[in-house]
Amino acid sequence: RPWRPAQRSCSWRLDGLAVSARLALARVARPLAAHPFPRAADGHPSRTVPDPFCAKAMKAITLTGFGGPEVLTLGEAPTPEPQPDDLLVRVRATALNRADTLQRRGRYPAPPGDSELLGLELAGEVAGWGRAVKGFRKGQRVFGLVGGGGYAEYALLDHQMVMPTPDGWSDAEAAAVPEVFFTANETVF
């Protein structure tokens, strides 16, 4: 598997004491010789190394450009890391709505700070959470609204936008509710 550029905390800088004990552990766990350092544009070795303790990349629907459905492809993206108010959800179902088609065509950008991946509503299981989140348990079935990222194996949701999936609802039914149903319900009633 080729080395990829550093993303978030999945790499460290290799200067001076910043190498840390984690690099020493990485040398024991997996020899660095098996992961040659990538070369920068100027031909010098890069000053970052992949973090062997970082979560693996996840499968996600990615865009090859803007346009019709033909720009959608199954690819990889970094698994998101929860911030203090985030819930990390393993996505089991997502929905398709007009905002997704507009974003796919480049006419509806993701809100600043949210995932650039498509998908505004989802259902799944709690996989983790930030330090300020309380009241959820790992494996709990939930659904909710996101600013982006629902078309992936994992997504981050603000814990205040998450609802427990009612007994008797499938993940597909729960994923269809947050954007379309709530909008229609608020508009009509």
Side-chain angles (χ1 to χ4, degrees), residues 79-82 86-90 125-130 154-157:
T79 303
E81 298 175 24
D86 291 336
L87 206 60
L88 178 66
V89 174
R90 178 166 174 74
E125 303 169 355
V126 174
W129 50 83
Y154 292 91
L156 295 177
L157 288 85

Side-chain angles (χ1 to χ4, degrees), residues 7-182:
Q7 295 168 346
R8 287 185 122 176
S9 65
C10 294
S11 68
W12 337 290
R13 298 229 8 116
L14 292 177
D15 35 23
L17 298 175
V19 174
S20 81
R22 290 181 85 179
L23 183 56
L25 288 172
R27 285 187 178 142
V28 172
R30 186 182 312 160
L32 289 176
H35 295 82
F37 294 104
R39 301 246 172 221
D42 63 5
H44 293 286
S46 171
R47 295 178 62 83
T48 61
V49 63
D51 184 340
F53 302 99
C54 185
K56 294 180 181 178
M58 64 178 177
K59 297 285 186 208
I61 300 298
T62 59
L63 299 174
T64 59
F66 293 119
E70 67 278 358
V71 303
L72 301 173
T73 185
L74 180 61
E76 288 188 345
T79 303
E81 298 175 24
Q83 299 303 307
D85 291 322
D86 291 336
L87 206 60
L88 178 66
V89 174
R90 178 166 174 74
V91 178
R92 298 295 186 191
T94 190
L96 173 66
N97 59 63
R98 180 165 167 75
D100 294 313
T101 63
L102 291 172
Q103 189 173 7
R104 184 195 71 222
R105 288 186 260 160
R107 297 185 182 148
Y108 187 80
D114 281 330
S115 175
E116 293 290 326
L117 297 173
L118 298 178
L120 300 177
E121 51 199 338
L122 60 91
E125 303 169 355
V126 174
W129 50 83
R131 66 180 176 272
V133 177
K134 306 253 188 280
F136 293 94
R137 68 183 186 288
K138 195 165 189 163
Q140 179 180 355
R141 292 181 63 227
V142 294
F143 69 108
L145 188 64
V146 293
Y151 289 8
E153 286 184 284
Y154 292 91
L156 295 177
L157 288 85
D158 182 307
H159 75 284
Q160 295 176 342
M161 299 295 285
V162 175
M163 297 153 278
T165 303
D167 292 335
W169 281 22
S170 70
D171 289 330
E173 291 168 327
V177 169
E179 180 76 11
V180 178
F181 175 79
F182 286 158

